[in-house]
Amino acid sequence: MKACVLIEISRRTPTSVTVHPVALFSILDHYLRRGDNQPRVIGTLLGTRTDTEVEVKSAFAVLHSETSEQVAVDMDYHRGVYDLHHKINPKEVIVGWYSTGSNLNTYSALIQNFYTQETTPNPAIHIAINTGVEEGERAGVSAYVSSPVGVFPKPENCVFVPVPVEIRFLDAERSGRKILPFLPSTESKNSFLAVVDLLAKTAASPNASSNQPVSDLEILEQSINTVQTMLDRVLTYVQAVLSGEVKGDPAIGRYLMDTLGASTNNLDKSGFNASLQV
């Protein structure tokens, strides 16, 4: 019977973890809002999972405190927030927890034990994020599962086993990533970009190259090309209307006139406006 249980557990151990940028940004924002006496923050990871892969889609902060003598986690708050989230998005379940920093200690093992109970019969995933905010600290993301130690293991005794992790952009998330470099500089934005860029370069998945964020220069080039394509379409339409190939739409004409009004001081607007009359 014991052998069967061990085989079943090994089958459920994931071989890869995927993190979406929305969850990553929530974690970094939580870290930047922490109290002055908090060396790290923790929270719950939500997403979907199969027997071999865990996909982290969102996260929320959990209140906790740590001292040299004890660690306390507000479990009631954790369950209350999860219940609310589950009503809105029932497909996302608890897959594990996150913390900032790379210090995996006895307290980490205790928290891991709590989340393992929340994800049973599946193992809990732990995401550790180095924010890169502190001087000399390199930004990055690591994923772990835990394995008990000893013949009669205690909750505080476990080994954290690394699991390959990658970042995955949906189309909407990729669009948001592209405009971030043009927004005002903030610690949260800079940390997010640093972690995402580093993770995209070091992701172990062979498909990670297709999800790598592009550089600022490439983003600018793509934006200019998009605007140029739109202008070419407008010019083609206007030329077709003027040559009589296409019947002009007065609504489109008025919209173009309003859009280009600030730059058409030298045009004969009276004649142009007359052509827009229905």
Side-chain angles (χ1 to χ4, degrees), residues 14-36:
T15 57
S16 66
V17 176
T18 301
V19 182
H20 284 266
V22 172
L24 194 59
F25 197 87
S26 296
I27 297 170
L28 293 172
D29 184 65
H30 180 200
Y31 175 76
L32 293 174
R33 295 175 184 271
R34 75 193 187 284
D36 295 335

Side-chain angles (χ1 to χ4, degrees), residues 171 174-179 181-182 210 212-231:
D171 291 340
R174 192 183 302 278
S175 300
R177 165 61 180 86
K178 288 181 179 180
I179 67 172
F182 302 103
S210 62
Q212 290 186 9
V214 295
S215 67
D216 293 351
L217 186 59
E218 290 173 320
I219 294 173
L220 179 60
E221 181 182 6
Q222 291 175 5
S223 299
I224 293 175
N225 289 336
T226 300
V227 173
Q228 184 176 0
T229 300
M230 295 171 64
L231 290 175

Side-chain angles (χ1 to χ4, degrees), residues 2-273:
K2 291 184 178 179
C4 294
V5 173
L6 291 174
I7 291 174
E8 183 65 20
I9 291 175
S10 65
R11 286 178 179 175
R12 290 199 178 103
T13 301
T15 57
S16 66
V17 176
T18 301
V19 182
H20 284 266
V22 172
L24 194 59
F25 197 87
S26 296
I27 297 170
L28 293 172
D29 184 65
H30 180 200
Y31 175 76
L32 293 174
R33 295 175 184 271
R34 75 193 187 284
D36 295 335
N37 60 343
Q38 280 188 290
R40 68 172 179 173
V41 296
I42 71 168
T44 301
L45 298 174
L46 302 173
T48 58
R49 70 190 309 155
T50 64
D51 288 342
T52 58
E53 182 179 357
V54 173
E55 190 170 355
V56 179
K57 296 183 177 181
S58 59
F60 64 84
V62 173
L63 304 176
H64 95 295
S65 62
E66 291 184 48
T67 66
S68 59
E69 299 178 352
Q70 66 177 5
V71 59
V73 179
D74 193 335
M75 299 178 183
D76 292 335
Y77 176 85
H78 151 78
R79 293 193 175 102
V81 175
Y82 172 67
D83 288 342
L84 291 174
H85 184 93
H86 191 67
K87 290 179 180 179
I88 299 173
N89 195 343
K91 293 183 179 180
E92 292 187 6
V93 298
I94 299 173
V95 296
W97 66 290
Y98 69 80
S99 69
T100 54
S102 57
N103 184 23
L104 298 176
N105 52 27
T106 301
Y107 292 162
S108 300
L110 290 172
I111 299 173
Q112 177 73 8
N113 179 68
F114 163 69
Y115 277 95
T116 298
Q117 298 174 22
E118 296 291 288
T119 62
T120 299
N122 299 301
I125 297 297
H126 174 50
I127 298 291
I129 296 183
N130 288 329
T131 60
V133 174
E134 302 294 335
E135 185 176 355
E137 186 181 74
R138 187 181 180 187
V141 179
S142 302
Y144 302 91
V145 292
S146 62
S147 177
V149 176
V151 179
F152 301 102
K154 297 181 179 180
E156 64 271 20
N157 295 332
C158 75
V159 174
F160 284 93
V161 182
V163 178
V165 61
E166 68 169 319
I167 193 164
R168 181 176 299 168
F169 284 84
L170 299 177
D171 291 340
E173 294 168 335
R174 192 183 302 278
S175 300
R177 165 61 180 86
K178 288 181 179 180
I179 67 172
L180 270 178
F182 302 103
L183 298 179
S185 180
T186 63
E187 276 191 307
S188 182
K189 188 201 81 170
N190 294 339
S191 299
F192 174 77
L193 292 177
V195 171
V196 169
D197 290 342
L198 179 64
L199 186 57
K201 292 177 182 177
T202 59
S205 172
N207 298 325
S209 59
S210 62
N211 294 323
Q212 290 186 9
V214 295
S215 67
D216 293 351
L217 186 59
E218 290 173 320
I219 294 173
L220 179 60
E221 181 182 6
Q222 291 175 5
S223 299
I224 293 175
N225 289 336
T226 300
V227 173
Q228 184 176 0
T229 300
M230 295 171 64
L231 290 175
D232 289 341
R233 290 174 58 189
V234 172
L235 182 60
T236 301
Y237 171 77
V238 171
Q239 290 176 341
V241 172
L242 294 177
S243 64
E245 298 177 8
V246 177
K247 182 179 180 181
D249 187 332
I252 295 178
R254 293 191 187 94
Y255 179 79
L256 292 175
M257 187 63 183
D258 293 338
T259 303
L260 303 174
S263 303
T264 56
N265 294 327
N266 296 326
L267 293 178
D268 183 3
K269 293 185 180 180
S270 60
F272 186 74
N273 287 328

